C-alpha cells in the first residue's frame, strides 16, 4: 500500500530541496493581505455542538474548531490579557518559503495579523515555535545565513534578533520549541544536522547551500574514526564517491582518536539563556538528542519533559529503530545520540542494523571493515556516561514524530500532570521505505508514573483526515498542544502534507489547510486516570469512517 500519494499540484512545485517544502506557493509579497479563512463568532456558535465524524475522543470531552484555513501553523501562545496567538511558519523542513511568515491573533471576531511581513525582517522559514515573554513574542526560526536563531517580535511587528549561528540548523532539522522555564530562563530545543551524525546524500541540497554544515557536539568528543563511503553528488560523474566521517562536513574523513571541539551553539541539544542578554548567557542544558521538538514542565513537581523525532532509515548511517521517544530531562546529561537508540540502547546491538543494501561501506584508516552502524564516538575517551532506558518517558510508535507538548493543569482532575504530545505523523516511504502503515497523526497522553502512551485525540482510522476522505472532518497533522488560560486544550493542526513521487523532493505542502482545535471537559474522566477508557466516536454521518484502501 502506498500512503499519502497525491497527484501533482496544478500550480507546480517549489524549488527542490530534499525533505523540504514543495507545493503551491502563494504570493508572499504582502503578508497582511493574504486571506485566512476563519470561523467567526456566529459560525462558532452554530458549530459548538458539531460532531466531527472522523474524530475519536475519550468520553467526557468535546472538540470544536477555533480557526480553519491557516497557512502552515505551528505554535500557540497567550499574552498577559489572555489573548491567543498562532504562528504561521511560512514553510516546512527546508528554508524555502511557501506562505507568509506571520503571527495572528485569534479571537471571537476572527483572525487578525498582528506581526506580518516577518520574512522581510530577518525571520526566515520556518518559524517553528512562539512564546509570550515580558510584553513581546520570542520565536525560533532560521536566520539569513540559514543558521538557527531566536528573535523578539513586538505586537506591532518590530523584530530584534537575540542570537543566531546554530550551524546544525542549516540542514533539515531546525531550532524548535521555545519555552520559559521555572527558573525564568528561556529554553530552546535544537535539532542536529543529519540523520545520525553523518552528512550524506540524503541532505545533499542543504550541503550545496551550506557546504560546511555538519553535526556539532556540545562538548569535546573523541571519534572512533569510522568513515562512510558515499556517492559524491558534488561532481558530474555519478560514479564518484567520497569518504565522510561523523561530526565533520561532507567529504571530510576522520581518524581514530580525532578530537572534535564542542561548541555552545550545538545541535541535538537543549539550550537556555536570559533574553535580556542572550548571547552572553547562552548555555547548554542537556545534549545528545536526535531531532528534539517539544519541551515542558510539570508545575507541581518541576519535572522537565521533551519529545524527540527518532532516526530515519536514510543516508549513509541508517537506523532501524523500534520507536520514537518522549524523555525525562536532567540538566547536564548526555542522551546518547547518535550512538544510542530512542530507547537508549547501543546501536551496536544487531536489532538496529538495517539490511546491507541500505548501508554504506565503512572504512577505518583506509581499510574496509564492512557495513554496520558501530559507534562513531569513543565514549570512554570522551568522558561520556552512556544513557539508560530510565530516561525514556513514553514509547511512541516509530516515525510518529512526537512534536510540541504540554502538561495538563490541576483543572483536569485525575489527568493533571499527564503529558499531552502532538504526533505530527510520518513521512514514509521516503524516510522509511520499510514502513507500510501510518504512524502518528494524533494527540497522545503519557502517564509519567507508568509511561503508558494512549491516544487522546485521533481519527477513527489510522492516518490523516485527508487520507480518510474529508480533511474538514478530522485531525490532519497536529504539531502543538497547549492548555490555555481558560483550562481548555488547544491543538495546532499544521495541515496537509503528502507524498508525491512525481516531484523532487516528494513532499507536497498545502498552505491554507491548517486548523486550531479546542478540546474541553464536559465531565469527569472515567476511572482513576491510569487506564484510558475506550474512545467515543461522534455520529459518523453519511459515509462513516471510510477504511484505508
Amino acid at each position: 500500500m502506498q500512503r499519502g500519494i497525491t497527484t501533482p499540484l496544478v500550480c507546480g512545485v517549489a524549488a527542490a530541496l530534499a525533505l523540504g517544502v514543495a507545493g503551491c506557493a502563494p504570493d508572499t509579497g504582502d503578508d497582511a493581505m493574504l486571506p485566512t479563512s476563519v470561523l467567526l463568532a456566529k459560525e462558532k456558535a452554530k458549530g459548538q455542538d458539531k460532531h466531527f465524524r472522523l474524530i475519536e475522543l475519550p468520553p467526557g470531552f468535546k472538540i470544536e474548531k477555533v480557526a480553519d484555513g491557516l497557512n502552515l501553523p505551528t505554535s500557540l501562545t497567550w499574552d498577559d490579557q489572555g489573548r491567543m496567538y498562532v504562528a504561521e511558519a511560512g514553510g516546512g523542513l527546508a528554508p524555502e518559503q511557501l506562505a507568509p511568515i506571520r503571527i495572528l491573533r485569534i479571537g471571537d471576531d476572527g483572525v487578525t495579523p498582528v506581526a506580518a511581513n516577518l520574512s522581510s525582517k530577518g525571520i526566515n522559514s520556518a518559524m517553528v515555535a512562539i512564546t509570550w515573554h515580558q510584553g513581546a513574542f520570542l520565536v525560533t526560526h532560521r536566520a539569513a545565513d540559514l543558521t538557527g536563531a531566536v528573535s523578539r517580535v513586538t505586537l506591532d511587528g518590530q523584530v530584534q534578533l537575540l542570537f543566531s549561528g546554530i550551524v546544525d540548523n542549516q540542514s533539515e532539522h531546525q531550532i524548535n520549541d521555545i519555552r520559559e522555564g521555572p527558573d525564568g530562563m528561556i529554553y530552546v530545543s535544537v535539532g542536529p544536522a543529519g540523520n545520525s551524525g553523518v552528512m550524506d546524500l540524503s541532505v545533499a541540497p542543504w550541503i550545496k547551500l551550506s557546504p560546511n554544515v555538519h553535526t556539532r557536539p556540545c562538548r569535546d568528543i573523541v571519534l572512533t574514526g569510522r568513515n562512510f563511503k558515499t556517492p559524491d553528488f558534488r561532481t558530474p560523474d555519478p560514479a564518484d564517491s567520497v569518504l565522510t566521517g561523523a561530526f565533520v562536513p561532507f567529504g571530510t574523513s576522520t581518524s581514530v582518536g580525532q578530537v572534535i571541539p564542542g561548541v555552545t551553539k550545538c545541535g541535538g541539544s537543549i539550550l537556555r539563556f536570559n533574553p535580556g542578554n542572550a548571547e552572553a548567557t547562552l548555555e547548554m542544558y542537556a545534549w545528545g538528542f536526535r531531532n528534539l521538538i517539544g519541551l515542558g514542565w510539570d508545575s507541581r513537581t518541576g519535572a522537565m519533559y521533551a519529545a524527540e523525532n527518532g532516526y530515519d532509515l536514510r543516508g549513509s548511517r541508517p537506523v532501524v529503530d523500534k520507536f520514537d521517544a518522549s524523555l525525562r530531562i536532567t540538566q547536564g546529561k548526555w542522551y546518547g545520540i547518535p550512538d544510542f537508540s530512542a530507547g537508549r540502547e547501543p546501536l551496536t546491538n544487531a536489532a538496529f542494523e538495517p539490511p546491507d543494501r541500505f548501508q554504506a561501506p565503512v572504512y577505518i584508516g583506509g581499510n574496509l571493515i564492512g557495513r554496520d552502524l558501530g559507534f562513531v564516538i569513543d565514549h570512554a575517551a570522551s568522558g561520556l556516561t552512556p544513557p539508560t532506558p530510565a530516561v525514556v518517558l513514553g514509547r511512541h510508535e516509530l516515525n510518529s514524530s512526537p512534536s510540541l507538548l504540554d502538561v495538563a493543569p490541576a483543572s483536569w482532575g485525575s489527568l493533571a500532570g499527564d503529558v499531552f504530545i502532538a504526533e505530527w505523523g510520518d513521512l514514509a516511504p521516503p524516510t522509511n521505505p520499510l514502513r507500510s502503515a501510518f504512524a502518528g497523526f494524533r494527540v497522545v497522553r503519557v502517564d509519567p508514573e507508568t509511561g503508558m502512551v494512549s491516544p487522546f485525540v485521533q481519527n477513527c482510522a489510522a492516518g490523516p483526515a485527508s487520507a480518510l476522505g474529508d480533511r474538514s472532518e478530522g485531525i490532519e497533522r497536529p504539531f502543538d498542544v497547549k492548555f490555555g488560560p481558560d483550562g481548555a486544550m488547544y491543538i495546532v493542526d499544521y495541515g496537509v502534507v503528502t507524498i508525491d513521487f512525481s516531484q523532487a523532493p516528494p513532499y507536497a505542502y498545502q498552505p491554507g489547510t491548517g486548523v486550531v482545535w479546542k478540546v474541553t471537559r464536559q465531565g469527569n474522566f472515567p476511572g482513576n486516570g491510569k487506564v484510558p477508557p475506550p474512545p467515543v466516536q461522534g455520529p459518523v454521518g453519511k459515509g462513516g469512517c471510510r477504511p484505508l484502501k
Side-chain angles (χ1 to χ4, degrees):
M1 176 177 65
Q2 287 187 314
R3 303 178 299 95
I5 308 302
T6 183
T7 55
L9 296 172
V10 174
C11 60
V13 300
L17 286 176
L19 283 177
V21 180
C24 296
D27 182 2
T28 60
D30 189 346
D31 293 4
M33 295 303 294
L34 190 80
T36 298
S37 172
V38 299
L39 298 178
L40 301 177
K42 290 183 180 179
E43 294 168 318
K44 281 181 63 181
K46 293 178 182 177
Q48 288 286 330
D49 297 323
K50 176 179 173 59
H51 293 283
F52 295 95
R53 63 184 178 82
L54 298 182
I55 296 178
E56 292 182 338
L57 290 168
F61 292 88
K62 180 182 73 172
I63 191 167
E64 60 188 281
K65 284 185 181 180
V66 175
D68 199 349
L70 301 176
N71 295 302
L72 313 180
T74 48
S75 180
L76 279 177
T77 193
W78 288 263
D79 66 15
D80 298 330
Q81 300 178 47
R83 296 177 298 185
M84 182 169 61
Y85 301 86
V86 64
E88 289 187 324
L93 305 179
E96 175 143 18
Q97 186 179 341
L98 280 184
I101 302 174
R102 57 184 185 171
I103 299 171
L104 311 174
R105 183 168 60 240
I106 299 178
D108 288 338
D109 57 346
V111 171
T112 305
V114 297
N117 295 308
L118 292 179
S119 58
S120 67
K121 301 174 183 178
I123 307 289
N124 284 265
S125 180
M127 182 169 67
V128 179
I130 181 175
T131 193
W132 179 261
H133 181 74
Q134 297 183 355
F137 306 103
L138 300 179
V139 302
T140 57
H141 62 96
R142 285 189 175 97
D145 62 358
L146 304 184
T147 61
V150 170
S151 288
R152 183 178 187 269
V153 182
T154 62
L155 278 169
D156 61 357
Q158 300 303 306
V159 176
Q160 176 193 5
L161 179 67
L162 298 186
F163 70 83
S164 62
I166 302 179
V167 170
D168 283 70
N169 303 149
Q170 291 177 323
S171 192
E172 79 278 43
H173 298 141
Q174 286 201 221
I175 182 172
N176 293 307
D177 204 2
I178 183 164
R179 302 288 294 269
E180 181 176 358
D183 56 2
M185 297 282 277
I186 302 299
Y187 290 70
V188 293
S189 55
V190 182
N195 179 42
S196 56
V198 180
M199 305 309 293
D200 52 44
L201 187 63
S202 73
V203 288
W206 285 276
I207 295 170
K208 291 178 180 179
L209 289 172
S210 306
N212 194 48
V213 63
H214 61 283
T215 316
R216 301 202 301 173
C218 301
R219 296 284 184 265
D220 293 359
I221 58 172
V222 179
L223 300 180
T224 59
R226 299 173 71 85
N227 297 294
F228 301 81
K229 187 176 182 180
T230 305
D232 194 346
F233 54 84
R234 301 169 300 180
T235 75
D237 188 344
D240 285 348
S241 62
V242 68
L243 293 178
T244 300
F247 292 94
V248 291
F250 180 77
T252 304
S253 61
T254 61
S255 57
V256 177
Q258 181 176 340
V259 175
I260 302 295
V263 298
T264 299
K265 295 178 180 179
C266 46
S269 66
I270 298 171
L271 306 179
R272 70 175 180 179
F273 61 92
N274 182 331
N277 193 358
E279 283 282 7
T281 59
L282 189 67
E283 62 180 357
M284 180 271 291
Y285 187 79
W287 67 298
F289 303 103
R290 186 43 183 54
N291 190 22
L292 202 70
I293 307 290
L295 303 174
W297 290 262
D298 186 330
S299 61
R300 306 168 307 166
T301 65
M304 185 179 182
Y305 307 114
E308 180 184 67
N309 284 194
Y311 296 111
D312 294 330
L313 185 62
R314 64 174 171 92
S316 297
R317 194 168 179 257
V319 179
V320 177
D321 213 336
K322 305 308 176 186
F323 55 86
D324 285 355
S326 49
L327 302 166
R328 305 175 191 272
I329 302 300
T330 301
Q331 183 176 1
K333 181 180 286 292
W334 177 64
Y335 279 76
I337 305 298
D339 279 348
F340 289 78
S341 70
R344 273 49 196 183
E345 298 175 282
L347 291 188
T348 50
N349 185 326
F352 304 112
E353 290 283 345
D356 279 353
R357 70 182 185 275
F358 292 113
Q359 297 197 71
V362 180
Y363 291 76
I364 295 180
N367 299 313
L368 176 65
I369 64 169
R371 295 174 183 262
D372 59 15
L373 293 172
F375 288 148
V376 295
I377 302 174
D378 184 328
H379 307 140
S382 302
L384 295 175
T385 301
T388 70
V391 304
V392 176
L393 170 68
R395 299 186 172 203
H396 304 251
E397 187 175 356
L398 181 66
N399 304 137
S400 61
S401 305
S403 298
L404 299 181
L405 62 88
D406 208 358
V407 179
S411 62
W412 276 53
S414 62
L415 301 184
D418 284 1
V419 185
F420 289 82
I421 303 175
E423 292 183 347
W424 192 77
D426 68 84
L427 283 173
T431 57
N432 185 350
L434 299 181
R435 172 163 288 283
S436 60
F438 285 114
F441 307 97
R442 61 184 187 169
V443 173
V444 298
R445 163 189 168 229
V446 185
D447 183 339
E449 293 184 14
T450 65
M452 178 183 292
V453 177
S454 54
F456 189 76
V457 180
Q458 65 177 0
N459 293 323
C460 52
S466 59
L468 302 177
D470 193 342
R471 180 194 69 81
S472 67
E473 291 293 330
I475 297 291
E476 193 67 23
R477 284 188 179 269
F479 188 75
D480 190 13
V481 55
K482 291 288 186 300
F483 291 93
D486 58 356
M489 171 191 287
Y490 291 85
I491 300 167
V492 178
D493 192 331
Y494 183 81
V496 178
V497 183
T498 54
I499 308 302
D500 181 1
F501 284 110
S502 72
Q503 61 187 39
Y507 304 97
Y509 289 66
Q510 296 184 27
T513 59
V515 176
V516 174
W517 301 88
K518 179 180 181 180
V519 177
T520 50
R521 298 178 66 210
Q522 302 298 296
N524 294 323
F525 189 75
N528 62 7
K530 301 307 174 190
V531 179
V536 173
Q537 182 182 319
V540 297
K542 184 178 180 180
C545 187
R546 283 169 275 194
L548 297 176
K549 295 181 179 180

